[in-house]
Structure formats: C-alpha cells, structure tokens
Amino acid sequence: MMEYICSECGARYGEDALVWRCTCGGLLGLPPPRAFDAAQVDVSEPGLWRYAAALPTIPAARRIRIGETMTPLSGSGCLGLPAHFKLESLLPTGSYKDRGSAVLVSKLHALGLTEILEDSSGNAGASIAAYAAASGMRCTIYAPAANSPGKLAQIRAYGARLVPIPGDRAAVAAAAMAAAQSAFYASHIWLPPFVAGVATMGFEIWEQLGRQAPDTITMPAGHGSVLLGLWRAFTALRRAGVIGQLPRLYAVQSAAFPALAEAWEAGAGAPVPTVRGTTIAEGIACRVPLRGKAALSALRATGGAAFTVTEAEIQGAWARLAGGGYYVEPSAAVAGAGFLKLCERGVLDASGVHVVILTGSGLKAPAV
Amino acid sequence: MMEYICSECGARYGEDALVWRCTCGGLLGLPPPRAFDAAQVDVSEPGLWRYAAALPTIPAARRIRIGETMTPLSGSGCLGLPAHFKLESLLPTGSYKDRGSAVLVSKLHALGLTEILEDSSGNAGASIAAYAAASGMRCTIYAPAANSPGKLAQIRAYGARLVPIPGDRAAVAAAAMAAAQSAFYASHIWLPPFVAGVATMGFEIWEQLGRQAPDTITMPAGHGSVLLGLWRAFTALRRAGVIGQLPRLYAVQSAAFPALAEAWEAGAGAPVPTVRGTTIAEGIACRVPLRGKAALSALRATGGAAFTVTEAEIQGAWARLAGGGYYVEPSAAVAGAGFLKLCERGVLDASGVHVVILTGSGLKAPAV
C-alpha cells in the first residue's frame, strides 16, 4: 500500500481514501519512490502494467485496458544531433496522459466509483473519458471552449458529457471543482496516482535502452507531470543501484506560460502565476504549475534546467519533426524546440544519449 | 529475391525492377507465399521488420523507421462477443498503411530513387509521405479535394506536395498516372511490396495469440489489401505446418461501394465496377478493387465471405467502439459493423477466437 502525503500540513491518507485533496485544502503528493529493479518488472505485461510494483495497488483483473503497449523509442537525426524520440503520441488516445489515466481510472473504478468528473485542456480529458468508457463509469469533462475541435470531438466520442467553459484554463478548473459535489473529481493534476502512472514512461525508456539511463531527457512542461514521473522512475532505479546517476531532465515551456522557467532562473523554490502571451502549445498553457515546488526540486536533483522557447521556435521544431516523419502536436514540438536550443548552446553533444519526449499526436491539433 | 508476376500475361520481373506495372499494362502480383515459421522471426526487431524473411530484400541499414512496433491486440467485449481488436490505428501515421509504406518506400529508396508520387484517399498518402520524408525522398500526393481536412493537413505536414483533385477516387488515380512520367509512381495499390508489407499484420496476430491462428478475422475491404496481406501471412504459416488451418477471413464493405461483396454473392470470379451511393467510410470508397480476383480467391481459400454494411450500421459500430474506449475512423468501424452482423446471424459464437482489424484512428476522420 502507498500513502499520499499533504504538501501543506503533512497529513497522510491511505491509497484507498476517496479524497482529491487534504481536508486542509492542500495538495496530496506521493511518498518518495522506493527502489525498483529488473526483478520487479512483470514481463508478462506488454505495456505500463509491467511496472505495477511501483504503482498504487490495483488487482490485475481490475486493470482497464484499451491497448497500452510500450511506446516506441525511435532513433532520428532530424533535429541535428542523434536523439531517441519517445513516441507517447502512439498511446491509445494519442497522448502520454493515458499512462496516468490508466492507473487513476483503474484505481477509482476498483474502489467502486461509478461516476467521475475532470477538467482538462483536452488531452487529459480525452484520456480520462476513454478509460472511463472502457470501465463503464459515467464521466463529465470540463474543457476550454476554445480548444482544438478535434480534442473536443474525441471527448464526446467516448460518450463523456462535455461541458465547454469560456475563459482560460483556471476558469475551467474552477467550474470543475465547483461541480465536484455531484461526482468524484478525478483530476489528473490533483490526484497522486496520475503521476505514479506517468512514471512508467521512465521505466520503459530504461528497459528500451538496454536497462541504462540516458544522459538527458528533454520534455514539454506545463504542470510538470512528465518531469515528476521521470524523476520518480529514475530515482527508483538509482535507489535500487541499477543505474549510476539520474538523467539530466530539461523542462521546456512556452515563453507565454513560463512560470517554472522563470522560477528556475530566479533560483526560487516555487513558481508564481505567470502569463506573458498566448501559445499554440495549448497542452502546456499553464499559468501556475500546481506541483511547481516538487518540479523545481526534481530539476535540481537531476542537474537539469527549465527554460522557454518562442512560438516561432515551436513552429520550426514542429516542421523539422514532421519533415523527419514525426507528426506531433505543437505542445509536443516544444520538446523538439528545447532540444534544438540545448544543442545550439552546446549543452548537449553527440557523445551523449539523448531522449526527447513527444507527448502527443499531430492528428490532435495541427500547427497550421 | 522475390519475383513479381503479371496477372494478365504472366511476365516476370525481379524485385529490383523499377516498374509499377507490366509492359502489357497488367497488374503485377506477388508469387505464392513461401513457408514461414518461428525460426524466421527476427526477434531483435520490435515491429514489422521481425518478418523481413517474408518481405522483398531490403538491407537492415536501409529500413526506414519512424516508430513501428507491434500494434496492440486488445481484448474487448464492447461489440458483444469477446473479440481481439488489432489496433492498427496506433501505427506511426495512424493507419495500417504504414506496414505497406515502410516496406515499399524503403525498397524504392534502397533502389536509389529520389522522388516518388502516389495517389490516395488520404491514409496511404499520409503514410507514403511520412516514410518519404524520413528517407529524404521528394514526394507528391494526389488526393480527393473533398477528403477529410485532417488527412490532407497531415500529408502537407510531412513536407509532401499535395495536389487536391476534384472528383472521385478514379479521377485522382488517373491524374497521378498521367503525372507518372516525371516521378516514379509509388502506388500502394499497384506495387506488390505494399501487400507484402501488410502481411506482417497477420504474422503479428499469430505471435500475439501465442503462435496460434484465430478462428476468424473481420476487416474492412476497399481494394482488399488487408485481406490479401492476412491471407498471405496465414498461408505462409500453414505451409510451414505451424498452424492447422487458415482463419476464416470476413471482408466487410460499405453498401455504397459493394463491388467485392456483390461478386462474392454472385459467385463471380471478378468484381465489376459498382457505386451505389456515398459513404462516411472514405478509406474504402473503392469503385472496383484492383486486386479483386485475388481477393475473391483468398476468401474462398479461407472459407470466409464478403458482405456489406449500411451507413447506419457503420455509425452504430463506431459509437459502440468509442463507448468501449476505441476511437477509430469510420472506415475502421466498418469492421466492427461487420463483426456485429456476423454475431447477429449466428456465424460467430463465443467459443471461437475472433480478431477485428481496426485500420485507422478516429483522430483522422471523426464520424460526426
């Protein structure tokens, strides 16, 4: 059993408690990762359930499955330096969110819930809706009315009730929280099992590289769940002594939503709410990362960094990725733009093993 | 080395000949499949190149890769009877066409071509464009101007020149053939390596079922490349003696484009051009299946059948699939509609092992 710990008052909750935040209002977090080694991998599983030993307890029969396999780690030179692209766009609903949703929704379903609600910029909503549909749970998704129509159509297709909310992402979250009296608030941002699920991405990379850690991993960052998931996985592997050191994690943000990057530059321990424009990277249009303190702490632990890229840089990376055969959404191209910037600055060189996380499919939101 | 054989005059061409049809104008076909068994699987490869021994010769270093892994075979009861869904929607460009394109484009690139053209209803065009991009070849795609905007945007994203053609699919093919003086016509319909690549779908199903053949496989059918690919794979396995009998193959068409189904009903040896309406299943809106004779012959060999489903049945199956967590394009939902019809008619029962091929992603062309 895993315990969740309040980041404000330190209260502890068992993993079967049906709460989405502490009674004090604080954010619940996961305990520090336990050691994880090759003997704990369930090799009979093709995808993320291989790492069930590192996840909240969910009986095998209650795991909701819609086709999760290990996502490809595809070598390419289309961004200049040789890199391994982790194609999270090829998860069942087209984004990395399926790792978190598979674990979160399976857990909530196993606990007996029959109805959930969630708010999302689009990808998490589609993902939660898909797993809810497969489980038979009723599902309501609050999403920004102005988001990509393709993402909204996908949410509706899964049979979820879609509630489009005018205004920004914060307005959407507020509407969902207000509704959380009527159904359980299955927030991918607030609920710890989601981050535990995202950690499976790191375990897969380790297995796919022949049980080695890469030197660096570059990823887009909004709330920072990819960053925290990867930090968890590689920390668990290092605790087990199966890797020597953590990969340096690079969290890339849009210059329009730079809260993490500005806190990093300033050496601050926590981000402050910041908006400096608009972005085509709608998946990371995040005014304040809810797990910002933990994200900054993870960056420090790995020797990585947070920084921003411009809209033009995102567009440029998007075109280079597509020109190499990788069609991703703008939010995913942010990682490509960050990788290009790290190469230009000489931070990365060809002697290292570099991974770039491509978080979502181009079919979800074309850049043009 | 493989030889290609003219279906009209019997002339033979080596697999390195740069021709897209016989000098007599006839369609080139593959030779009968050779025996294939487990010892020939290259287990170091994660995806379709595992079956390179059954493909035209392409040196390992010339294989173009953009993240092909074994697609999931996901168990579900959302269509009533338990079935295994083969999620071809999770190949790199979102459709099964990547199997054919990976092999065809790799072969043409290895033969030294630097420029290709192709015509497509959308999915094959996007797929060929992606592999051409990854190879560095220039690429032009002719596509129906009225096709799903998402598919056309995808083709453009890969850097291909897109030529939208008003009119039906035949008009598009005619325009492409007329242009085939200036660049090699890399037709997914005319060129035998494409079908050889699609056969890898069958080998994967066999491996994923623990080296067993299923009892039935239900699939959408336009030109019939999925049908022919599966027939090839399972025939090769039976020749090696590793499976007892071929799975019964069920080819499902839209009632608007029923050429194969009507020929099957009539007991004819070849389909005649037929259009009886319009369909949301744009990927199989095929007036006459170019490999129709071979397709009908394959159906007979397996004890399967061809039949049609209505637009309402396609919509209904689409909704049931999405309601189970599987978001597919209408052309793929055709297989689901066919499976439902086979169950209703009592052709299938719960004692059998049934596979349904879901050929393309719902993100490509929503049904609503």
Side-chain angles (χ1 to χ4, degrees):
Chain A
M1 293 289 275
M2 217 176 242
E3 277 189 324
Y4 306 144
I5 305 160
C6 176
S7 58
E8 299 299 324
C9 74
R12 287 165 177 267
Y13 294 81
E15 62 167 56
D16 290 349
L18 277 173
V19 292
W20 63 270
R21 62 179 168 186
C22 183
T23 50
C24 84
L27 177 70
L28 298 179
L30 292 166
R34 285 189 301 241
F36 185 92
D37 64 24
Q40 290 171 268
V41 177
D42 177 355
V43 296
S44 72
E45 287 281 358
L48 58 91
W49 298 111
R50 293 167 80 79
Y51 316 109
L55 298 174
T57 309
I58 299 162
R62 305 306 295 268
R63 294 172 189 165
I64 305 165
R65 299 164 188 275
I66 54 173
E68 313 70 23
T69 52
M70 205 176 267
T71 61
L73 192 67
S74 186
S76 175
C78 72
L79 295 182
L81 281 189
H84 299 276
F85 296 155
K86 183 66 172 164
L87 302 183
E88 298 289 290
S89 46
L90 300 181
L91 281 162
T93 77
S95 89
Y96 83 93
K97 307 278 189 183
D98 288 349
R99 297 185 182 279
S101 301
V103 174
L104 175 59
V105 178
S106 294
K107 182 73 187 176
L108 296 178
H109 185 244
L111 289 174
L113 287 185
T114 58
E115 184 166 3
I116 55 177
L117 66 83
E118 152 77 318
D119 62 280
S120 159
S121 70
N123 283 340
S127 180
I128 294 277
Y131 283 90
S135 76
M137 280 197 283
R138 285 190 301 282
C139 180
T140 301
I141 303 290
Y142 291 73
N147 255 52
S148 294
K151 293 183 184 178
L152 302 184
Q154 186 183 14
I155 291 169
R156 282 203 185 90
Y158 290 124
R161 188 167 73 96
L162 176 69
V163 184
I165 302 289
D168 67 4
R169 189 66 188 74
V172 176
M177 282 187 220
Q181 312 300 323
S182 60
F184 187 77
Y185 182 40
S187 169
H188 69 286
I189 300 168
W190 282 86
L191 284 158
F194 196 91
V195 171
V198 174
T200 62
M201 193 193 303
F203 293 126
E204 283 187 14
I205 292 168
W206 165 69
E207 282 208 78
Q208 289 172 310
L209 291 176
R211 297 186 181 163
Q212 303 282 330
D215 294 297
T216 72
I217 308 180
T218 305
M219 74 212 72
H223 278 284
S225 64
V226 174
L227 169 63
L228 287 169
L230 292 173
W231 170 82
R232 281 193 76 76
F234 287 100
T235 299
L237 294 165
R238 193 174 61 172
R239 291 207 171 147
V242 298
I243 61 169
Q245 59 181 25
L246 300 180
R248 296 199 303 280
L249 301 183
Y250 292 102
V252 191
Q253 297 201 289
S254 153
F257 291 86
L260 266 183
E262 292 191 1
W264 178 260
E265 275 300 311
V272 293
T274 314
V275 180
R276 304 216 181 281
T278 59
T279 180
I280 55 170
E282 63 190 10
I284 56 168
C286 170
R287 203 169 67 99
V288 58
L290 198 65
R291 297 187 187 277
K293 278 186 205 170
L296 291 165
S297 165
L299 288 178
R300 274 192 298 274
T302 72
F307 59 96
T308 64
V309 293
T310 65
E311 295 299 292
E313 287 168 334
I314 298 168
Q315 287 272 9
W318 178 89
R320 281 185 73 159
L321 286 163
Y326 301 93
Y327 187 48
V328 299
E329 66 170 316
S331 307
V334 166
F339 183 79
L340 286 167
K341 186 165 274 189
L342 290 168
C343 294
E344 280 163 23
R345 289 179 178 170
V347 177
L348 309 183
D349 64 42
S351 71
V353 175
H354 307 298
V355 172
V356 179
I357 309 293
L358 298 180
T359 44
S361 167
L363 294 167
K364 291 197 148 228
V368 285
Chain B
M1 292 290 273
M2 218 176 242
E3 277 190 325
Y4 305 144
I5 305 160
C6 177
S7 58
E8 299 298 325
C9 74
R12 287 166 177 267
Y13 295 81
E15 61 166 56
D16 289 349
L18 276 172
V19 293
W20 63 270
R21 62 179 167 188
C22 182
T23 51
C24 85
L27 176 71
L28 299 179
L30 293 166
R34 284 189 303 242
F36 184 92
D37 64 24
Q40 290 171 270
V41 177
D42 178 355
V43 295
S44 72
E45 287 281 358
L48 59 93
W49 298 110
R50 292 167 82 80
Y51 317 108
L55 298 173
T57 309
I58 300 161
R62 306 307 294 270
R63 294 172 190 165
I64 304 164
R65 300 164 188 274
I66 54 173
E68 311 72 22
T69 51
M70 204 176 269
T71 61
L73 191 66
S74 186
S76 176
C78 72
L79 295 181
L81 281 188
H84 299 275
F85 297 155
K86 183 67 171 162
L87 302 183
E88 297 290 288
S89 46
L90 299 182
L91 281 162
T93 78
S95 89
Y96 84 94
K97 307 279 188 182
D98 289 349
R99 297 184 182 279
S101 301
V103 174
L104 175 58
V105 177
S106 293
K107 181 74 187 174
L108 296 178
H109 185 244
L111 289 174
L113 287 183
T114 58
E115 185 167 3
I116 56 178
L117 65 84
E118 153 77 318
D119 62 280
S120 159
S121 69
N123 284 340
S127 179
I128 294 277
Y131 283 90
S135 76
M137 282 197 281
R138 284 190 302 279
C139 180
T140 301
I141 303 290
Y142 291 72
N147 255 52
S148 295
K151 293 183 183 178
L152 303 183
Q154 187 184 14
I155 291 169
R156 282 203 184 92
Y158 290 124
R161 188 168 72 97
L162 176 69
V163 185
I165 302 289
D168 67 4
R169 188 68 188 75
V172 177
M177 283 187 219
Q181 313 299 324
S182 59
F184 187 77
Y185 182 41
S187 169
H188 69 287
I189 299 167
W190 283 86
L191 285 159
F194 195 90
V195 172
V198 174
T200 61
M201 193 193 305
F203 293 127
E204 283 186 15
I205 292 169
W206 165 70
E207 282 207 79
Q208 289 171 310
L209 291 176
R211 295 186 183 163
Q212 303 282 332
D215 294 297
T216 72
I217 308 180
T218 306
M219 73 213 73
H223 278 283
S225 63
V226 174
L227 170 62
L228 288 168
L230 292 173
W231 170 82
R232 282 193 74 76
F234 287 101
T235 299
L237 294 166
R238 193 174 60 173
R239 291 208 171 145
V242 297
I243 62 169
Q245 58 182 26
L246 301 181
R248 298 198 304 281
L249 301 183
Y250 292 101
V252 191
Q253 296 201 289
S254 155
F257 290 86
L260 266 183
E262 292 190 2
W264 178 261
E265 274 301 311
V272 293
T274 314
V275 180
R276 305 215 180 281
T278 58
T279 180
I280 56 169
E282 63 190 10
I284 57 167
C286 169
R287 203 169 68 97
V288 57
L290 198 68
R291 298 188 185 274
K293 279 187 205 171
L296 291 165
S297 166
L299 287 179
R300 275 191 298 275
T302 71
F307 59 96
T308 63
V309 291
T310 65
E311 295 299 293
E313 288 168 334
I314 298 168
Q315 287 271 9
W318 177 90
R320 279 186 72 158
L321 287 163
Y326 300 93
Y327 187 49
V328 299
E329 67 169 314
S331 307
V334 166
F339 183 80
L340 285 168
K341 187 166 273 189
L342 290 168
C343 294
E344 280 162 22
R345 289 179 179 171
V347 177
L348 309 184
D349 64 42
S351 71
V353 175
H354 307 298
V355 172
V356 179
I357 309 293
L358 298 180
T359 43
S361 168
L363 295 167
K364 291 197 148 231
V368 284

